[in-house]
Amino acid sequence: MSYWNLEKKNSVQYRRHFLVDNSLFHVERCMSVMQSGTQMIKLKRGTKGLVRLFYLDEHRTRLRWRPSRKSEKAKILIDSIYKVTEGRQSEIFHRQAEGSFDPSCCFTIYHGNHMESLDLITSNPEEARTWITGLKYLMAGISDEDSLAKRQRTHDQYPP
């Protein structure tokens, strides 16, 4: 099996498992919370954390934040996200936040061609879990309600 076919097969399997673990209601609640916005601390190398409002745009294609002096750069395309990790795993967390924050409130978004990291801290573990679940859902390519509902019905009809 070629690498491309293997990747395609793994992606489909991931989506199926994602839907098994996350009901339609739960995922849509995550999307709603993300679109409404959540205040989080954005950690940066060499500075203390900055409080920003992070939100998912109306088309569910970009993660944005405000305030920002560079408003056009204050976004991450969902398609550019490589992975999302839970806890204090990134280099920036290890350097700056060791012992300062509850690991269950921390997560990192790796994105772009150079695997840049966006290190975030929420005010409680549930908010972190909501964002991690929502971002992984979007990364799996299940971005519209009709598509998700259709996959959920198919899963219900033909369980793995």
Side-chain angles (χ1 to χ4, degrees):
M1 183 178 283
S2 75
Y3 174 76
W4 174 251
N5 288 335
L6 182 62
E7 279 298 304
K8 195 171 180 182
K9 181 180 176 192
N10 287 341
S11 177
V12 169
Q13 287 173 343
Y14 176 78
R15 290 176 188 169
R16 180 176 293 143
H17 290 297
F18 190 90
L19 286 175
V20 168
D21 296 337
N22 297 281
S23 71
L24 174 62
F25 171 78
H26 177 70
V27 171
E28 281 306 316
R29 190 187 72 68
C30 290
M31 294 295 104
S32 176
V33 167
M34 291 169 69
Q35 287 181 307
S36 297
T38 304
Q39 268 201 329
M40 295 186 244
I41 298 172
K42 175 185 173 192
L43 282 187
K44 291 180 74 172
R45 188 181 319 266
T47 63
K48 62 182 183 175
L50 306 169
V51 177
R52 299 288 182 257
L53 178 71
F54 288 83
Y55 61 97
L56 182 63
D57 75 351
E58 63 196 34
H59 304 292
R60 299 181 177 179
T61 57
R62 290 180 181 88
L63 170 62
R64 301 195 66 110
W65 58 91
R66 63 178 186 253
S68 174
R69 285 181 282 161
K70 306 172 197 164
S71 63
E72 198 45 47
K73 289 188 174 188
K75 66 181 175 199
I76 295 175
L77 294 174
I78 298 301
D79 288 348
S80 77
I81 297 175
Y82 176 74
K83 70 179 176 177
V84 178
T85 60
E86 302 176 48
R88 298 185 303 223
Q89 297 182 34
S90 76
E91 177 185 335
I92 290 175
F93 272 118
H94 284 289
R95 284 189 183 174
Q96 294 187 347
E98 198 60 48
S100 308
F101 300 101
D102 178 352
S104 62
C105 294
C106 303
F107 67 100
T108 301
I109 302 168
Y110 292 94
H111 63 96
N113 295 334
H114 303 289
M115 278 258 299
E116 300 166 62
S117 70
L118 175 61
D119 302 280
L120 300 171
I121 304 161
T122 61
S123 59
N124 63 63
E126 185 181 333
E127 285 180 344
R129 190 77 238 139
T130 296
W131 278 86
I132 292 165
T133 299
L135 289 168
K136 288 184 175 183
Y137 158 83
L138 291 168
M139 289 170 59
I142 312 168
S143 59
D144 64 299
E145 293 175 48
D146 293 337
S147 177
L148 179 60
K150 186 183 214 178
R151 285 188 174 108
Q152 185 69 45
R153 283 193 304 275
T154 301
H155 171 71
D156 294 344
Q157 273 183 319
Y158 308 103

